[in-house]
Amino acid sequence: MERKYLKRSPTGVWLFRRRVPDILKKHCKKDYFCVSLETKSITQARIKRDAISANIDLSVEEARSRRLSKERFHTIYREILGLYLEEERDPTGPDGTNTLDYIDPDDWSPIPNDETYKKAFYAATLKRVPEQYRYTITELAEAWVKQNKDKKPKKYVDSVTSYSKIFVQYLKQDDLPEAITTGTAQRFLDYLLDTGRSPSTVTHYRTKLSEVWRWGISREIFEGNNPWKNTKVEPPLKRSAPEHFRLFSPDEVKILLEQTSKERQWEYAFVTYALVRVLPFLGCRLAEFARARRDAVVTMDNRLFLQVTNGKTKNAQRIVPINRAVQPIIEEALERSKGQTYLFPEIKTDQQLNSLSSRISRITSGFEKIEGFKVSIHSFRAHFSTALEEVGCPEELAVQVAGHKRLSLTYGLYSKYQGTEKIWPYIDKLDQAEVLKPWFPNAELEKLKIDKDLLNYFEQFIAKHSTSLENVFEQYGPNGILSNTLALKSSKLRHRKLNDNSQSNVRLKLPSIGDDADPE
């Protein structure tokens, strides 16, 4: 605290540096107050600092007082104006005049000599708000947020705040809302398109800002027309290419898996663990999986499905078959959430959902761009689509299961699960796709379905001979010698169908588990 707001320059002179409070930003074009205190003495610097800081605090209090006074003015103004207009429709004064024209505001005010009440009263009888009490665009947006924060979704409210700030920045001043013309509004939308925002995003700007103006006019906070009503989002014919995201490299997948283990000290550790491992196999958007209900995970014919009912678009409503490689994670999530409504009960709000997204983004932000393409949370869906392509899934099925196309009756919320035989052969083979192998590096070993001791022995064999998993399976794999021998030796080898053309007549002397000898 001794050096709060103080910074020493290279010459030894003390500087005062303090962030501009939000309430003063519309009057100040800088983010920080920064002035030289013209002294090298820390004692003198503290004295000068306290004086400057006190003036800033006073300005903040005055601004807050003006804002509160302005809010109170409009509350009284709307109340009196309503009475005045009612009296105007059915006058009770002498000779058909308005009674309120003869009333002394002091007689009505609950507080003696209340200047704000007087000004609001007279303004209502004149039907005109004095300039000092008119809302700026920022103040109008803040008033809208205050009234609607419990009525609208948080994401909607945050968008109104953000879009209003960007509009004020575009205008380079916090103007009065009634001063905005349709031409100004249209030029702003054109500017957004020209700076690379998509037409759908610009439409969101138009909708939210139009709502703020409509709200202000309907509550007689200001007079005029809604300038956004007759604007149009008109994208240029020549569009910039949409942003695409590349796939994760095997090394990047390794980093993702290491930094999202269940043992991490974070309140959403399990959710992050599950998301990073499951999304590449489901192709779901983050919110679709993280906010899924428990009853959205359905078992049919010993197979698991995830039913997506609240997706980003209508096309996103679909049922996604779950590959066996990630079924244990889904089952663990179901076990953890017993008695709860949601698969991940710790994720209750959009803010918590954003925390998950930010956590993953912090990891991926360190991954470099390659040929102009970056990675992000969207890359998980890219892995899913690429995997479907690798295993030969027809495009018309791939776009449906990824939620990009309106579902047909064949693969709809399947009368209810009819027609799944068309997609299951490809879902079953997802874990064989090269693009998904980094997520389960020992997937080939898992396919043998042998007991744990045999699996450990096989892994030791690989390590001892300094060979790779690929080389071993080329020689001993699914149709190889070791596979046939293990099939004979292990009674716990399940779901294994040996190829009729395999070398079934070839036998090796396989040492017993625990022996030091190696297969010859």
Side-chain angles (χ1 to χ4, degrees):
M1 292 297 292
E2 285 298 312
R3 295 193 178 185
K4 187 177 182 180
Y5 305 140
L6 293 177
K7 187 176 180 180
R8 201 168 199 167
S9 71
T11 60
V13 175
W14 287 99
L15 306 174
F16 173 86
R17 191 172 187 272
R18 177 178 172 180
R19 184 183 289 275
V20 176
D22 288 341
I23 201 167
L24 301 180
K25 281 187 176 178
K26 65 181 179 181
H27 305 295
C28 184
K29 295 182 179 179
K30 297 180 179 179
D31 291 329
Y32 287 88
F33 293 112
C34 190
V35 293
S36 171
L37 299 178
E38 300 179 345
T39 180
K40 294 183 179 181
S41 165
I42 184 64
T43 303
Q44 290 299 315
R46 287 173 185 153
I47 294 171
K48 293 184 177 183
R49 170 203 63 188
D50 293 344
I52 295 172
S53 194
N55 283 331
I56 294 174
D57 291 339
L58 183 61
S59 298
V60 169
E61 289 303 316
E62 288 175 350
R64 284 177 180 162
S65 177
R66 282 195 299 272
R67 181 173 293 179
L68 290 172
S69 177
K70 193 175 286 190
E71 288 178 6
R72 184 166 175 266
F73 172 92
H74 279 276
T75 300
I76 298 167
Y77 173 81
R78 287 195 294 273
E79 180 185 346
I80 302 299
L81 181 62
L83 295 172
Y84 190 85
L85 294 175
E86 184 180 337
E87 176 70 17
E88 203 170 56
R89 288 189 294 271
D90 186 17
T92 58
D95 300 323
T97 56
N98 195 318
T99 306
L100 270 70
D101 288 331
Y102 302 97
I103 290 177
D104 184 345
D106 279 332
D107 294 337
W108 277 29
S109 174
I111 304 172
N113 301 317
D114 188 342
E115 290 300 317
T116 301
Y117 191 94
K118 284 182 183 179
K119 289 177 181 178
F121 188 98
Y122 287 129
T125 59
L126 295 172
K127 302 177 187 175
R128 185 163 156 264
V129 177
E131 188 169 342
Q132 71 185 93
Y133 288 105
R134 292 181 190 174
Y135 276 176
T136 64
I137 293 171
T138 299
E139 290 169 339
L140 177 66
E142 289 172 349
W144 183 94
V145 167
K146 187 174 181 179
Q147 289 294 317
N148 292 278
K149 63 183 179 181
D150 296 326
K151 302 174 185 176
K152 300 279 187 181
K154 185 178 185 301
K155 190 174 182 179
Y156 191 106
V157 173
D158 289 345
S159 295
V160 166
T161 302
S162 175
Y163 296 167
S164 300
K165 285 182 179 178
I166 292 170
F167 183 46
V168 169
Q169 290 170 3
Y170 167 79
L171 296 173
K172 298 181 180 176
Q173 62 178 351
D174 195 5
D175 217 331
L176 299 174
E178 58 264 38
I180 304 304
T181 64
T182 298
T184 302
Q186 184 64 59
R187 285 190 290 275
F188 174 64
L189 299 180
D190 294 341
Y191 159 79
L192 294 174
L193 289 168
D194 292 341
T195 52
R197 290 175 174 86
S198 69
S200 60
T201 299
V202 177
T203 300
H204 283 302
Y205 273 81
R206 179 183 178 275
T207 303
K208 304 296 191 300
L209 292 172
S210 180
E211 160 62 15
V212 172
W213 259 254
R214 181 208 62 77
W215 180 84
I217 293 169
S218 65
R219 282 155 182 76
E220 298 171 327
I221 292 174
F222 67 94
E223 296 179 351
N225 298 316
N226 189 337
W228 306 96
K229 189 174 181 180
N230 293 319
T231 57
K232 189 175 180 181
V233 177
E234 301 173 315
L237 290 175
K238 187 177 180 181
R239 294 285 314 282
S240 57
E243 187 173 29
H244 291 287
F245 300 93
R246 67 173 176 83
L247 303 176
F248 295 109
S249 70
D251 287 340
E252 289 168 345
V253 173
K254 186 177 179 182
I255 292 170
L256 272 169
L257 298 179
E258 287 173 351
Q259 296 194 19
T260 57
S261 67
K262 286 186 285 188
E263 291 72 30
R264 290 268 166 177
Q265 296 299 313
W266 191 49
E267 56 184 324
Y268 310 130
F270 179 78
V271 190
T272 315
Y273 161 85
L275 287 171
V276 167
R277 287 154 180 79
V278 172
L279 289 182
F281 288 82
L282 287 186
C284 289
R285 296 173 178 89
L286 176 72
E288 290 174 348
F289 184 54
R291 292 289 291 146
R293 297 169 62 94
R294 291 185 84 257
D295 56 15
V297 180
V298 182
T299 303
M300 186 75 174
D301 296 331
N302 295 320
R303 285 169 163 169
L304 282 181
F305 299 82
L306 177 69
Q307 183 170 306
V308 180
T309 55
N310 295 313
K312 185 178 179 182
T313 64
K314 287 184 179 179
N315 294 350
Q317 297 178 9
R318 63 200 188 280
I319 292 178
V320 183
I322 299 173
N323 178 273
R324 62 180 177 271
V326 295
Q327 281 190 16
I329 298 175
I330 303 289
E331 289 165 356
E332 185 177 357
L334 287 169
E335 183 65 28
R336 287 179 72 253
S337 58
K338 272 186 177 177
Q340 303 289 330
T341 302
Y342 289 93
L343 193 60
F344 302 106
E346 54 265 68
I347 307 301
K348 299 181 179 67
T349 65
D350 288 340
Q351 189 173 359
Q352 291 169 324
L353 194 65
N354 291 337
S355 294
L356 284 177
S357 179
S358 299
R359 184 80 168 195
I360 297 171
S361 295
R362 278 197 294 272
I363 300 172
T364 62
S365 63
F367 301 158
E368 63 181 344
K369 276 189 175 183
I370 298 178
E371 296 180 357
F373 294 98
K374 62 181 181 179
V375 291
S376 81
I377 220 162
H378 300 285
S379 297
F380 293 118
R381 277 167 65 79
H383 275 271
F384 178 72
S385 299
T386 305
L388 286 176
E389 185 179 355
E390 280 188 24
V391 299
C393 181
E395 185 177 357
E396 62 270 18
L397 289 179
V399 294
Q400 289 170 2
V401 78
H404 288 308
K405 185 179 180 182
R406 192 76 188 104
L407 299 174
S408 66
L409 292 176
T410 309
Y411 196 77
L413 292 178
Y414 303 94
S415 298
K416 199 169 180 189
Y417 298 92
Q418 293 174 5
T420 54
E421 68 279 357
K422 289 190 175 184
I423 194 67
W424 264 116
Y426 306 107
I427 296 296
D428 277 342
K429 291 190 287 186
L430 273 185
D431 52 335
Q432 299 174 32
E434 287 293 327
V435 74
L436 293 182
K437 282 185 178 178
W439 267 270
F440 291 92
N442 290 326
E444 292 291 343
L445 291 176
E446 298 287 352
K447 285 181 195 175
L448 288 176
K449 303 285 186 183
I450 58 181
D451 93 348
K452 190 173 180 181
D453 288 334
L454 279 172
L455 182 59
N456 290 337
Y457 171 74
F458 196 44
E459 289 175 325
Q460 291 167 14
F461 176 85
I462 294 169
K464 191 165 186 176
H465 289 272
S466 301
T467 185
S468 68
L469 190 61
E470 290 78 9
N471 289 339
V472 169
F473 268 88
E474 186 177 343
Q475 299 175 55
Y476 307 114
N479 292 316
I481 296 170
L482 182 57
S483 177
N484 290 325
T485 307
L486 290 175
L488 293 172
K489 290 288 290 184
S490 175
S491 61
K492 295 185 179 180
L493 181 59
R494 301 182 305 276
H495 308 301
R496 177 74 180 147
K497 294 182 180 180
L498 294 175
N499 192 309
D500 292 336
N501 298 322
S502 65
Q503 303 174 36
S504 57
N505 60 325
V506 179
R507 299 290 180 266
L508 282 180
K509 182 182 178 182
L510 186 70
S512 301
I513 299 304
D515 290 355
D516 292 331
D518 295 318
E520 294 178 359

